[in-house]
Amino acid sequence: MAKHQSFNRIRKRVFIVTGLTLGAVILIAALFALYATFQLGPDDVQLITVNEGSGRTAVLGSGVSISSADDGNVVVDGSFEPLIFRKMLTVYSGDETTLAVSSEDASGGEFGDGFFNGAAARIMTIGLDGLELKKTANVVNYGINRVGVFNPVLVPDEVPDGLAILDFARRENQTIAVGEQGLILIQASSQAPAVVDSKITADLTGICSAQDGYYACSRDGYLLHSSDGAQWQQIALLAGAKLNAVASIESGIYAAVGGGGTLVVGQNGSVSQLTPVTDSTLNDIVGGQDVLMAVGNDGVILTSRNGLIWKKNILSSATDWLAADYRDGRFVAVGRDGVIAISDDGAKFTLFKQDSGLDFVDVVMLTSQQLIVLDQEGRFLVSNNAGQTWLSSGIETGMQSRVIDLAGKDKILSADQNGRLGIAQLVAEITLDSSLVDGQYQAGDLIFLEMTSLAVPDNYLGAGDSSVIENPWQFFGYGNSARTLEDAAPQGGKSSMLLTAETGASGQAAILSQKLDLNAFGLDNGSEIYQIELWMKQSGVEDRRVKVWLQGSQTLAGTTFTNVGTSWKKYSYTLALPTGVIKDAESISLNIAIDSGRLWTDQISLQKASDSSTTQAQSLISAMSDLSPQLIRLDYLGIGSMTSRHLAWANSLGNESPYLGADGWTGKASGSLYAALQMTDKIQADPWLTIDAFASQTEILSLIEYLAAPISEPYGRLRMDQGSVVPWSEQFSRIVLEFKDSGNLYVSDQVRAEFVNLMIDTISQSPYYREIKNKLVFVDGCSYDAGVVLSSADYHATDLTGLLAETQQQTVSDALSAYLDLVPRNPEKQTQNWPELMRTSTLTASGVDQPTMAELSAILLSDLGHQTGLSMLSLTGDRPTDWPQVYLSAANASSEVANGIPLEIETESDNILAQGYRSDSQISLVLENLSDQPETCLLLTDLPLSGATVYKYDSRGQMISRQVMRNPASKLTVLSGGVVVIVKTEEP
């Protein structure tokens, strides 16, 4: 493929076919058909008619999309960059300095109170001109799980004024409240609660949900049951029993407790009052883990698994326990004078004491780590670390609560002493270090947060799971190791690793070690030459000696670097690793050691000697060169992604910030734009860059400067320092920029479109835009719920994801149909032939079956030139060895042929699909056999195909022959699931 073909956003070549030529074509077709009929019989050959396309637009081409890229470095996190944490939140309300957002979203099960303190914040708003920047600042306080302002719930008029609500219970989506004089309200957390008849007038003090409905109790000894909350029946009246609370467990047992240690237990319609095991009043009871836990005065806590046998536990006789709760395997009890007890089994408790001097009257658990406590004055305290630390909420809730409960996602239901109900959103308070000059934050504003940390913060809620936060680097020996921001190697990012040997521990080494992934070596037969590279400097290291070695069951190879200096220098060591050593090893570690002093190290790599630490792996470059794609979608760069640091793409290779996610510690969550563009240029392709929803206007302007600016500008100078003096925009014929929202950060179609438009408008404001605008292709990669593209991008992009069906024809038909169903309408571009680009395409295997060459080629090319103007095949896996041969062959074939104006092709059967294109330099055809038998085909065409090269592939993508076409009228055999590619090069 010729590099740097001329490209225009809209280019049409109209072929005017004269009547004489058309008649000749018809005549030739008829003769060929007659010949085929006489020579082969009508059932022996598939006739394929190929004509010059007229009035059609040249396609944009084809290529590959890669989601990860091998840099050849076996070492993970070799540059010791800070961990990156990012979050985007929607504002509920605010003033000039403080924003309130959803507490559940702000925590996300990961981030505790104060987690984003000190983080960089960027606030965007939807204005009259679309999405625009409102403020940049730093976060002073990030407080989660604060109870917001209570909005009143309208109690029915039939409820007498001042009738207090005493307890709540929630089951599925319904909350029921009970109170004085037998009051029962259903749908209590909605805006239209309803009163139901309890059939008693006694005060209902407690209610619980159970597998068979609800149970309620009263101070007068009543026990009630309802299967649905609307119809209630009395199941017991226990004379003299002053019941305060009721709870149930999964086994169906329920229990009520009250004054004088009263214990009432029931199951399957049977109710029994037990002999008290304590004289102390029992104030509350909860159930969880098939354990009932009752709490009361004088420090009494009772637990039971069957409701009959109760174990007594007195934590502190001076404490009256007033309320309890259970969630996610954890019990909590709260009481007078700010005392709190937490247990994971209901038997062993940890006590906490707050110095507020106030009684805690109720408690709600959001998760096992997150608790909200209500004190006697209606104020709230919050803990996000299982009670270890507590924070007071500064929000004026507008209500003096007496009893609280969860009311669905992220909401608190409250009742006061006077019968009023309120519901409040749990919010996170985000306070910034400077105020808005004009106006205040308002609902719908978007806040983007970014924080870096050298270690996993203590208030990272996943910190208790070592498998999630496990650092690939471990320390052994005497001393310590720590990442440090005080220094870094040249082009080594922001930080380095400081290894310190313990003073006075002469002869005892301090060792930094990483266990390597054996699969990353990829050794063939024999031995492979590897090279260790690292930057180092030292202070006080004895004899200036640093030992570096590979360790398996024994030392495999290593060296001692001598005369290591006090300023940064790069050191390297070459070693041979026999294949057998790697294959037989249970584990291999890279170790760095000193006996004394301090050692700073950075940019550590272990890779094949044929690779370079500043470029992608040679195996990747060679594989991509063999594919000859017209474009490469460089999705792994992570520009604007949740896992990538601001401007991380501008770093040299190896300086990626690690990221903590669902899969644990990820060392390569982004990539180097320089290395990616260098590879793309080397294989004579054009780049397709993806820009995700976290990208800022500043970052986009920096990106354009990096691509197009002279070396006199900061990012032009950075590009030169990395190795490219000439702007990248001069080295490519086109640069595709796709704007996407992979994490669904934006909640509406309009905001997604505004994001895309903002990015395009920002680029148009760059001083370099005028020079490069004819090379830029803007692509909207967002999904639109309403199926209409709202942005001003040149094209829209959609993924094709198919599943193998019973037949190859069905696989292709289903995949293309699903893809076309996803393609949104573009009302601004109704006359354009193809407003859509296929950014990725893949077929998912079904059982042991794998996609065939014919299926993959068909999904790439069948719609090309119709609604689709460009097709990209998705290559997933860290290394080229992960890519199946059939995908490689399909990608190569589609890139080879998808060039020029689509030809007009007709086939006789669904068994054979055919596509073709003609440009100034070539004619190309692809025949795909979707049947389970070989098919013989005959081309009926007047195109000059004599001398064309014919490539034949089997269903697995193996090329089985390559020959020159002497006679276009020759028969062509296409194997089942296979493909025939015909390419004729023409003089321009």
Side-chain angles (χ1 to χ4, degrees):
M1 182 195 75
K3 184 188 175 188
H4 302 164
Q5 299 171 18
S6 62
F7 170 76
N8 293 301
R9 205 161 289 150
I10 299 177
R11 193 182 79 175
K12 295 185 177 180
R13 176 184 177 187
V14 180
F15 290 87
I16 302 175
V17 181
T18 64
L20 181 60
T21 304
L22 182 59
V25 170
I26 295 173
L27 178 60
I28 292 172
L31 291 174
F32 273 123
L34 184 63
Y35 173 80
T37 301
F38 279 110
Q39 297 297 319
L40 300 169
D43 297 328
D44 297 330
V45 67
Q46 296 286 347
L47 301 180
I48 302 173
T49 305
V50 183
N51 294 319
E52 192 84 45
S54 61
R56 306 181 74 179
T57 305
V59 299
L60 292 177
S62 186
V64 293
S65 175
I66 51 178
S67 56
S68 60
D70 185 14
D71 60 5
N73 189 4
V74 179
V75 175
V76 176
D77 189 25
S79 194
F80 308 106
E81 290 303 285
L83 280 162
I84 177 71
F85 299 95
R86 281 182 152 186
K87 192 73 175 176
M88 192 279 277
L89 298 162
T90 301
V91 175
Y92 283 1
S93 62
D95 54 28
E96 295 82 1
T97 59
T98 303
L99 307 88
V101 302
S102 163
S103 190
E104 184 176 46
D105 291 345
S107 173
E110 296 180 277
F111 309 123
D113 200 275
F115 185 90
F116 281 102
N117 288 357
R122 172 169 52 94
I123 299 91
M124 307 293 292
T125 190
I126 302 291
L128 296 176
D129 297 325
L131 194 63
E132 58 188 33
L133 181 66
K134 195 168 191 175
K135 178 74 175 178
T136 57
N138 292 320
V139 176
V140 174
N141 181 58
Y142 189 78
I144 66 172
N145 293 332
R146 305 301 198 258
V147 179
V149 176
F150 282 103
N151 294 313
V153 174
L154 299 178
V155 178
D157 293 338
E158 59 193 284
V159 178
D161 292 340
L163 207 61
I165 289 171
L166 304 178
D167 200 11
F168 300 109
R170 186 170 180 84
R171 183 169 181 252
E172 297 177 347
N173 294 321
Q174 173 164 266
T175 297
I176 296 181
V178 296
E180 295 175 340
Q181 299 181 21
L183 174 65
I184 298 180
L185 293 177
I186 61 172
Q187 301 300 338
S189 60
S190 71
Q191 287 304 310
V195 178
V196 298
D197 187 7
S198 66
K199 300 183 178 65
I200 65 172
T201 58
D203 294 344
L204 292 173
T205 52
I207 183 172
C208 73
S209 63
Q211 289 186 323
D212 59 347
Y214 302 88
Y215 290 92
C217 65
S218 83
R219 288 197 181 99
D220 295 341
Y222 284 99
L223 274 177
L224 308 180
H225 174 260
S226 174
S227 60
D228 58 4
Q231 301 295 325
W232 289 83
Q233 296 82 34
Q234 175 182 321
I235 56 176
L237 174 57
L238 307 165
K242 298 180 179 180
L243 302 178
N244 294 325
V246 62
S248 71
I249 52 179
E250 291 183 1
S251 62
I253 297 171
Y254 62 91
V257 298
T262 299
L263 280 171
V264 177
V265 178
Q267 186 179 24
N268 299 327
S270 174
V271 179
S272 301
Q273 183 171 351
L274 307 182
T275 302
V277 296
T278 178
D279 294 333
S280 300
T281 294
L282 298 175
N283 297 311
D284 201 2
I285 183 170
V286 292
Q289 287 185 332
D290 277 335
V291 173
L292 288 162
M293 184 185 81
V295 301
N297 294 345
D298 307 316
V300 172
I301 294 180
L302 305 179
T303 57
S304 175
R305 291 189 176 275
N306 57 17
L308 300 177
I309 301 174
W310 291 81
K311 180 180 179 182
K312 185 177 179 180
N313 191 342
I314 299 179
L315 297 184
S316 173
S317 60
T319 299
D320 290 340
W321 301 113
L322 302 180
D325 200 7
Y326 168 85
R327 185 174 295 272
D328 297 339
R330 178 160 287 171
F331 294 90
V332 61
V334 299
R336 299 194 189 280
D337 298 323
V339 180
I340 301 160
I342 291 180
S343 173
D344 289 331
D345 58 6
K348 297 178 181 179
F349 290 83
T350 301
L351 286 176
F352 300 95
K353 177 73 163 61
Q354 297 303 304
D355 296 329
S356 64
L358 296 174
D359 298 338
F360 292 150
V361 297
D362 209 350
V363 59
V364 166
M365 298 185 72
L366 308 177
T367 68
S368 61
Q369 297 287 318
Q370 300 170 317
L371 301 89
I372 296 176
V373 166
L374 174 69
D375 70 23
Q376 67 190 54
E377 295 186 0
R379 296 180 299 193
F380 294 94
L381 277 75
V382 177
S383 176
N384 293 295
N385 53 10
Q388 297 181 47
T389 58
W390 292 85
L391 298 155
S392 298
S393 175
I395 297 176
E396 291 294 334
T397 65
M399 187 175 188
Q400 187 169 351
S401 302
R402 179 190 178 280
V403 59
I404 57 174
D405 198 6
L406 285 177
K409 178 184 177 182
D410 222 10
K411 293 180 181 179
I412 290 288
L413 184 63
S414 166
D416 67 8
Q417 295 278 13
N418 301 313
R420 290 178 296 186
L421 276 176
I423 191 163
Q425 189 81 31
L426 285 176
V427 299
E429 291 180 288
I430 303 175
T431 305
L432 305 180
D433 61 356
S434 59
S435 301
L436 274 174
V437 176
D438 184 25
Q440 64 181 31
Y441 301 110
Q442 57 192 9
D445 287 349
L446 305 173
I447 179 168
F448 296 80
L449 301 170
E450 176 174 309
M451 188 192 75
T452 57
S453 176
L454 292 176
V456 180
D458 292 337
N459 47 4
Y460 181 73
L461 299 182
D465 187 350
S466 60
S467 65
V468 172
I469 65 168
E470 184 176 1
N471 189 323
W473 291 100
Q474 303 295 319
F475 176 82
F476 301 100
Y478 296 84
N480 61 73
S481 63
R483 298 169 190 253
T484 175
L485 287 169
E486 68 180 36
D487 208 349
Q491 295 190 18
K494 287 187 173 183
S495 59
S496 61
M497 176 64 77
L498 174 58
L499 182 64
T500 303
E502 186 174 281
T503 303
S506 179
Q508 304 294 336
I511 306 171
L512 185 68
S513 178
Q514 181 178 134
K515 184 180 290 186
L516 305 175
D517 180 5
L518 299 180
N519 295 323
F521 284 91
L523 292 173
D524 298 322
N525 294 327
S527 297
E528 187 73 64
I529 305 301
Y530 273 76
Q531 183 167 270
I532 298 173
E533 292 183 350
L534 71 167
W535 287 77
M536 294 187 293
K537 72 172 189 175
Q538 59 81 28
S539 173
V541 174
E542 185 177 356
D543 297 330
R544 301 158 66 100
R545 296 162 62 89
V546 178
K547 184 178 180 181
V548 179
W549 75 101
L550 288 181
Q551 181 74 41
S553 57
Q554 58 186 358
T555 299
L556 302 179
T559 188
T560 299
F561 292 106
T562 59
N563 201 29
V564 175
T566 57
S567 60
W568 285 108
K569 289 183 181 179
K570 188 177 183 179
Y571 300 82
S572 63
Y573 170 67
T574 303
L575 61 152
L577 289 177
T579 300
V581 171
I582 302 298
K583 289 183 177 179
D584 296 338
E586 293 184 3
S587 66
I588 295 178
S589 297
L590 172 65
N591 304 300
I592 303 169
I594 56 174
D595 292 329
S596 61
R598 297 190 298 169
L599 175 74
W600 289 263
T601 185
D602 202 357
Q603 292 284 81
I604 302 174
S605 65
L606 170 62
Q607 56 198 7
K608 292 181 180 179
S610 57
D611 286 333
S612 167
S613 59
T614 61
T615 64
Q616 304 292 168
Q618 188 58 45
S619 59
L620 175 63
I621 296 175
S622 298
M624 297 303 295
S625 181
D626 291 341
L627 293 180
S628 300
Q630 295 169 332
L631 289 104
I632 304 178
R633 185 170 178 264
L634 303 163
D635 196 32
Y636 67 91
L637 291 175
I639 302 173
S641 74
M642 291 290 292
T643 62
S644 178
R645 191 175 73 221
H646 178 68
L647 296 172
W649 50 265
N651 290 327
S652 299
L653 199 66
N655 287 317
E656 301 88 358
S657 288
Y659 173 76
L660 280 182
D663 298 327
W665 187 294
T666 301
K668 297 179 181 178
S670 59
S672 167
L673 181 57
Y674 171 77
L677 294 180
Q678 184 191 48
M679 174 184 70
T680 305
D681 181 57
K682 186 171 184 178
I683 66 173
Q684 300 187 12
D686 286 325
W688 177 325
L689 306 181
T690 62
I691 299 165
D692 219 331
F694 225 96
S696 67
Q697 292 164 275
T698 301
E699 186 166 23
I700 292 304
L701 289 173
S702 300
L703 173 64
I704 299 301
E705 183 176 308
Y706 183 86
L707 294 173
I711 59 175
S712 58
E713 300 301 322
Y715 281 91
R717 177 59 182 268
L718 173 64
R719 185 190 63 240
M720 180 186 72
D721 292 343
Q722 292 175 338
S724 180
V725 176
V726 178
W728 290 112
S729 58
E730 296 182 17
Q731 302 180 53
F732 300 109
S733 63
R734 54 182 165 173
I735 300 174
V736 179
L737 300 177
E738 176 195 344
F739 310 103
K740 63 176 185 173
D741 181 13
S742 61
N744 294 318
L745 298 185
Y746 300 115
V747 297
S748 70
D749 286 356
Q750 186 60 47
V751 181
R752 296 181 191 107
E754 294 294 355
F755 163 69
V756 175
N757 288 338
L758 176 64
M759 295 293 99
I760 295 173
D761 291 343
T762 301
I763 292 172
S764 68
Q765 299 303 314
S766 168
Y768 312 105
Y769 175 69
R770 185 179 296 272
E771 301 173 16
I772 65 173
K773 66 178 183 179
N774 289 331
K775 292 189 175 184
L776 297 181
V777 182
F778 296 135
V779 177
D780 184 339
C782 296
S783 298
Y784 290 97
D785 298 331
V788 177
V789 179
L790 302 175
S791 73
S792 60
D794 300 321
Y795 307 105
H796 182 268
T798 298
D799 300 310
L800 184 152
T801 303
L803 177 67
L804 294 190
E806 185 174 347
T807 65
Q808 296 181 76
Q809 293 95 330
Q810 193 65 44
T811 295
V812 173
S813 174
D814 289 350
L816 287 172
S817 178
Y819 161 73
L820 293 174
D821 285 344
L822 290 175
V823 173
R825 295 186 305 106
N826 194 326
E828 298 298 324
K829 299 181 174 66
Q830 294 287 356
T831 59
Q832 185 169 317
N833 287 352
W834 31 260
E836 187 68 23
L837 308 182
M838 187 185 296
R839 66 179 169 192
T840 65
S841 54
T842 186
L843 288 176
T844 303
S846 176
V848 297
D849 294 334
Q850 297 294 322
T852 65
M853 177 75 171
E855 290 170 327
L856 289 171
S857 298
I859 65 171
L860 282 169
L861 300 174
S862 291
D863 193 57
L864 195 60
H866 300 285
Q867 289 197 63
T868 304
L870 182 147
S871 62
M872 307 287 283
L873 188 64
S874 180
L875 297 177
T876 58
D878 292 336
R879 303 170 188 88
T881 52
D882 298 329
W883 301 340
Q885 178 61 47
V886 65
Y887 273 80
L888 300 179
S889 297
N892 178 259
S894 62
S895 293
E896 176 70 22
V897 303
N899 187 5
I901 296 174
L903 300 173
E904 295 180 354
I905 300 178
E906 294 182 4
T907 59
E908 289 187 324
S909 168
D910 293 337
N911 290 341
I912 293 291
L913 299 182
Q915 301 86 33
Y917 310 88
R918 184 170 190 175
S919 68
D920 294 336
S921 60
Q922 75 174 32
I923 304 172
S924 55
L925 292 170
V926 179
L927 312 181
E928 300 123 2
N929 182 2
L930 299 179
S931 73
D932 57 3
Q933 298 292 330
E935 296 282 354
T936 301
C937 302
L938 185 64
L939 298 178
L940 306 180
T941 183
D942 65 340
L943 293 175
L945 292 179
S946 294
T949 303
V950 180
Y951 306 88
K952 292 186 179 181
Y953 295 88
D954 65 11
S955 63
R956 298 296 99 198
Q958 297 292 333
M959 185 188 296
I960 58 175
S961 71
R962 178 182 180 217
Q963 59 192 41
V964 176
M965 178 179 285
R966 301 302 180 187
N967 182 5
S970 301
K971 293 178 294 183
L972 296 169
T973 300
V974 189
L975 297 178
S976 172
V979 166
V980 169
V981 178
I982 304 169
V983 179
K984 169 64 182 300
T985 302
E986 295 186 304
E987 293 295 330

